[in-house]
Each structure stands twice: as structure tokens, then as C-alpha cells.
Amino acid sequence: GFMRGSSSISDSNGNLLLMSDGYSLYNSTGQFIDNGDTLSPKGWYNFNQGEGRYTQTSLILPMTNKKYYFINTSMTDTQFTKAINAPDWTYPTNILLYHVVDMNANGGAGKVTERMKPLIENVDLYPSAMMACRHANGKDWWLLKQAGDSTNGNRIFTFLFTQDSVYSIDTLLMPYPFADKGWNLSQYAFSM
């Protein structure tokens, strides 16, 4: 059972390649791909029973040569300990991770070759509100992720995912406020 934080990707013929519950990666038969289990700090992973509860918790971005980036929002164990012991749950997620998947590995069964690489650490983030858009060059991807700390302005982090690197590009400051306490559960969408 995948909850709202799930993501998946298919090939150009519609055949399922990868799917995620938000915190682990599976092949088309529902088995963990090699090194694809528990792609989140353990406290938050266990609390959520391994499933993303919020929309846009995770994304899978395709690259050339059967390489994929898996991106997910999570909570560090330090943040989770504060949150679970607080009288009211006011602690937002605070880490954005990426993982590299090579579907050429293991005879085409795939493998997570790089795990839990931080894009953002120790910054309040909404558990949702993350979206990617293909770059104008037709190969790379832009990723936008909403911050969860409205006291410092309505910030949106932008990243560029290329075929072999990930770049933190800029932080945009939007002129209108979002909800406080890091629990805005909005969704992003791009339009042309």
C-alpha cells in the first residue's frame, strides 16, 4: 500500500521501471532494488512505517543511459527526536535528499549507487510542495522545493539536475506568505 507520497516512472512504452513509497525504491515487481531500502533517516522512516504520508514527498527524474535521480523530503533523527518529544508537533521536515539509481546494474535489475546525499540540511521544509520541470535543453531538470519557515520569508529552493551533477542554483523569495509551522500541504504544478 503506497500512500500519498509515492512516485513512479515508466519507460516510453508505459512499462513500469521504478516505484517508491516515498522512502524506498522498488522494481516493477514490487521488490526492493539493490540498496534501495530505507532511503531516509530511520526515526522518520519508522514513524511513517516506511511510507510517505504527504503528496510530493518524492520524485524520480530520468536521465540518459538508464540513470535516474530519486529525491525525497525527510526529517533528520535529531529533528525527529525533538518533534516526538514536543507537547505539540511543530517540527517540520528538515532534509532534502537525493539518490542515484543505475538501471544498467545487476543485469538490468538496477541498483542505488549513491544514497542519501543531502541537497538541503537543517532547514525547515514543507513535507510536500516539490516539483520538477524539464530544462529547455531537453535533458536536464529543474527542481523546486518549498521552505517551511515563513518567518524568514516564503523561500523556494531551486536546483539543477544534470546528467552527471546536481547544482544548488538559487533561493527565490516569494512576495506572499505561506502557512506557518512547516505543515503547508500544498502541491506545485508547472504550466506552459
Side-chain angles (χ1 to χ4, degrees):
F2 286 12
M3 294 182 73
R4 292 177 292 273
S6 63
S7 54
S8 61
I9 195 160
S10 300
D11 66 17
S12 58
N13 294 319
N15 299 309
L16 182 63
L17 295 173
L18 289 170
M19 56 185 165
S20 173
D21 53 15
Y23 301 119
S24 296
L25 276 170
Y26 306 88
N27 63 22
S28 61
T29 65
Q31 303 299 310
F32 289 118
I33 68 165
D34 189 4
N35 215 16
D37 185 18
T38 318
L39 298 172
S40 171
K42 297 255 179 161
W44 187 240
Y45 179 88
N46 291 335
F47 178 77
N48 288 292
Q49 298 175 334
E51 295 183 8
R53 295 178 183 218
Y54 308 102
T55 59
Q56 297 183 341
T57 294
S58 66
L59 292 170
I60 302 171
L61 301 178
M63 295 293 165
T64 58
N65 200 24
K66 297 186 179 181
K67 176 180 165 184
Y68 298 85
Y69 287 106
F70 173 65
I71 302 104
N72 61 338
T73 305
S74 190
M75 186 182 285
T76 62
D77 287 338
T78 301
Q79 181 88 330
F80 178 74
T81 299
K82 289 179 192 175
I84 203 73
N85 292 313
D88 61 341
W89 190 282
T90 58
Y91 290 87
T93 54
N94 70 334
I95 191 168
L96 183 65
L97 302 167
Y98 78 93
H99 322 267
V100 179
V101 181
D102 182 356
M103 289 304 290
N104 293 306
N106 294 326
K111 179 179 183 173
V112 176
T113 57
E114 296 181 51
R115 289 175 48 95
M116 298 178 63
K117 309 282 276 178
L119 286 165
I120 303 171
E121 291 182 276
N122 300 314
V123 173
D124 291 350
L125 301 168
Y126 291 130
S128 60
M130 176 171 65
M131 184 54 64
C133 179
R134 186 161 316 258
H135 190 284
N137 67 15
K139 300 181 301 183
D140 302 330
W141 290 88
W142 293 105
L143 178 82
L144 275 67
K145 177 66 186 129
Q146 179 72 47
D149 180 7
S150 62
T151 59
N152 291 321
N154 185 1
R155 296 179 299 161
I156 299 173
F157 297 98
T158 60
F159 301 92
L160 178 62
F161 284 76
T162 68
Q163 302 304 304
D164 56 10
S165 300
V166 179
Y167 301 96
S168 177
I169 300 299
D170 202 356
T171 302
L172 306 172
L173 186 59
M174 303 303 280
Y176 49 87
F178 263 45
D180 281 342
K181 305 218 183 220
W183 291 106
N184 182 315
L185 301 179
S186 60
Q187 296 181 36
Y188 280 175
F190 286 98
S191 62
M192 298 185 141

